[in-house]
Amino acid sequence: MKIVLLERINKLGQMGDVVYVRSGYARNFLLPFKKALRATKENINFFKEQKSVLEAKNLENKKEAESVKTKIDGKSFILIRSASDTGALYGSVSSKDINQIVSADGIEISKNQINLEKPIKELGTYKVSVSLHSDISSQIVINVARSIEEAKLQEAGKELNNIDFSETVEEKAVINN
């Protein structure tokens, strides 16, 4: 299907480009999310008339993305999850979970902007890419741990497999008695 792009799309083209895409991609993604129009004469003329408005809107979105990038770039977030003794999570951490923890910090992004290559299924620290705009991306650090103390140890770079947590539990029991 021949379409006209209303914004820059990675690996596809720039705003105003007339490109060929598979019809399913156009019908299910580009057209419903108003990222493109069918390349008819009327739509091409409509785009030429609206080009300055679309460019101004794109520039505004880019400025907003820059401000969000300054807030979020390199920031670390801690997710507390239950896990087995070997470090395997009971469940997984998805982009929805990351979106919730970032939103709780007062930074508004959508879960579609979070680029997880695969769900996180083990304890540890992970660098996650966030696409704020087609030209702007940022990285955040997600620290998945069983407790805040464990998260602090992970941030320090210590391996959790070598630490015996039973001693700390016994010490807490002695202190509480």
Side-chain angles (χ1 to χ4, degrees):
M1 176 182 288
K2 192 173 177 184
I3 58 166
V4 136
L5 296 176
L6 297 178
E7 62 184 60
R8 181 183 181 276
I9 308 236
N10 289 338
K11 300 181 183 176
L12 195 57
Q14 299 292 328
M15 180 189 303
D17 288 352
V18 177
V19 294
Y20 287 95
V21 295
R22 292 187 177 229
S23 58
Y25 182 52
R27 278 195 319 265
N28 297 324
F29 179 68
L30 295 173
L31 298 175
F33 290 106
K34 310 247 186 279
K35 295 182 180 284
L37 294 172
R38 293 179 193 268
T40 62
K41 288 182 181 181
E42 297 85 26
N43 285 341
I44 291 172
N45 291 334
F46 173 77
F47 172 78
K48 287 178 182 176
E49 293 170 7
Q50 296 294 319
K51 186 174 182 177
S52 61
V53 173
L54 292 170
E55 285 176 343
K57 184 179 175 185
N58 187 33
L59 196 61
E60 182 181 317
N61 290 342
K62 192 172 183 177
K63 286 181 184 177
E64 184 179 317
E66 284 285 349
S67 68
V68 172
K69 181 179 179 172
T70 58
K71 292 179 191 175
I72 201 173
D73 206 20
K75 206 161 188 187
S76 179
F77 298 94
I78 298 173
L79 281 170
I80 305 299
R81 293 287 187 262
S82 56
S84 68
D85 293 336
T86 60
L89 296 178
Y90 300 130
S92 63
V93 175
S94 65
S95 58
K96 181 180 177 185
D97 299 324
I98 295 171
N99 183 34
Q100 288 173 347
I101 196 77
V102 171
S103 296
D105 200 37
I107 301 167
E108 288 301 317
I109 59 172
S110 72
K111 71 176 187 170
N112 297 336
Q113 291 175 313
I114 298 168
N115 300 329
L116 264 182
E117 293 176 17
K118 60 183 180 179
I120 298 171
K121 295 186 178 187
E122 292 183 355
L123 297 175
T125 56
Y126 299 91
K127 289 187 179 183
V128 177
S129 176
V130 179
S131 295
L132 301 169
H133 187 267
S134 59
D135 299 331
I136 300 170
S137 64
S138 178
Q139 278 207 330
I140 58 174
V141 177
I142 302 297
N143 189 344
V144 183
R146 286 175 250 186
S147 65
I148 298 293
E149 295 82 19
E150 193 174 283
K152 289 179 182 176
L153 289 173
Q154 285 180 352
E155 283 179 6
K158 295 184 180 177
E159 287 190 32
L160 297 177
N161 297 340
N162 300 334
I163 299 173
D164 187 12
F165 287 104
S166 61
E167 292 176 15
T168 58
V169 173
E170 290 172 5
E171 289 173 5
K172 288 180 184 177
V174 171
I175 293 171
N176 291 335
N177 290 335

